[in-house]
Amino acid sequence: LMAGPAAAGEVQAQTALGTLQYLGLGGATDFAEAARWFKQAALAGDARAQRNLGSMFRQGLGVPRDELRAFG
């Protein structure tokens, strides 16, 4: 339902889809896919996506653990 708008660049849909992937709602948890959607939304300026992606870098979930990127 959100994949179309997220792929079209809708930032809120990207963040929501990242959250669904992160939590495994509607399917299996996929941290790498969650990070991909959070990154797109974060680059567009979404603060929630930036925070979520930073947390993923801090923990090494779906991305390599990277303290500099986590807090940068």
Side-chain angles (χ1 to χ4, degrees):
L1 185 62
M2 282 182 259
E10 174 57 49
V11 176
Q12 290 179 341
Q14 292 170 342
T15 300
L17 195 53
T19 301
L20 292 174
Q21 295 290 328
Y22 183 89
L23 297 174
L25 300 175
T29 298
D30 188 339
F31 293 127
E33 189 68 7
R36 185 175 80 82
W37 287 114
F38 286 146
K39 181 179 179 182
Q40 288 185 28
L43 290 172
D46 186 90
R48 284 187 309 145
Q50 292 168 351
R51 182 189 66 236
N52 293 343
L53 185 60
S55 177
M56 293 180 80
F57 273 112
R58 185 174 51 80
Q59 298 174 63
L61 295 174
V63 293
R65 185 181 166 107
D66 187 334
E67 294 287 324
L68 291 175
R69 292 182 82 181
F71 297 103

